Amino acid sequence: MPRLPTAILAAIALHLTAPAPLAQAAGESAPAARLDTPSGLPVPRFASLKSDRTNCRLGPSFDYPVTATYLRVGLPVEIIAETKSHWRKIRDHDGGECWAHEATLRGPNRALVVKETAMLAQPENGARLRARLAAEVLVRPVGREGRWRLIEADGIRGWVRNDALWGVD
């Protein structure tokens, strides 16, 4: 049997492991999370990077080339597929996708502020301002109330709207 070039194998692997589309047309509900995964955990789900240097690959093996290197510990990523050999296909907040070994990930413990937003004292519009958060700031979610998240950033706790964060359900 002839040997297939690595590029073709990579394309086949990416096609076979690609998740169902996450975005739905307006008015349609998102598909339920898959639970028939090698880990038994739902996909998609959020995780955070363990290290300040995380290599991400074209395919689910150390044999594939590194396509991206993340340089931010705690950065939230979305796991969108996984293999029995402990690889996780991840998506970052910009939509970039690649494969990371499960040892480089940990449970979701950070969220990313995606747009400048106000941190408020209470989970309601018009509440007293606690701080202003710039885009790209990492925060620690600690609670939830409706469309609001209680977060901690630099020792300050306050409430922000869910739509200002990426990396939380």
Side-chain angles (χ1 to χ4, degrees):
M1 182 171 189
R3 206 170 135 89
L4 293 174
T6 303
I8 292 174
L9 290 174
I12 292 170
L14 289 175
H15 175 73
L16 292 176
T17 58
L22 296 177
Q24 298 293 309
E28 292 181 31
S29 60
R34 292 185 47 202
L35 295 173
D36 61 340
T37 59
S39 68
L41 297 172
V43 170
R45 69 180 181 276
F46 286 105
S48 296
L49 301 180
K50 271 187 185 179
S51 173
D52 60 359
R53 185 175 180 86
T54 303
N55 288 330
C56 208
R57 298 178 179 276
L58 179 62
S61 162
F62 289 111
D63 295 333
Y64 287 95
V66 172
T67 58
T69 300
Y70 292 98
L71 302 174
R72 197 165 185 197
V73 66
L75 185 71
V77 294
E78 186 176 28
I79 297 173
I80 58 175
E82 56 183 50
T83 69
K84 290 180 183 177
S85 59
H86 307 286
W87 288 88
R88 306 298 183 247
K89 187 172 188 183
I90 61 172
R91 178 181 296 136
D92 64 28
H93 70 285
D94 289 326
E97 296 179 3
C98 53
W99 289 89
H101 194 272
E102 73 173 355
T104 65
L105 305 172
R106 63 179 171 203
N109 64 352
R110 296 287 184 266
L112 186 71
V113 176
V114 293
K115 59 184 177 183
E116 183 179 320
T117 193
M119 180 194 289
L120 304 175
Q122 300 295 321
E124 57 192 44
N125 291 326
R128 185 173 53 85
L129 181 69
R130 302 281 324 254
R132 288 208 84 36
L133 300 174
E136 304 292 318
V137 169
L138 286 177
V139 298
R140 188 173 65 86
V142 293
R144 180 181 192 161
E145 188 173 307
R147 298 177 303 176
W148 295 86
R149 288 282 175 162
L150 178 61
I151 62 161
E152 185 175 291
D154 286 337
I156 300 171
R157 280 191 177 204
W159 295 88
V160 298
R161 293 192 47 122
N162 281 338
D163 63 0
L165 301 175
W166 192 86
V168 292
D169 294 325

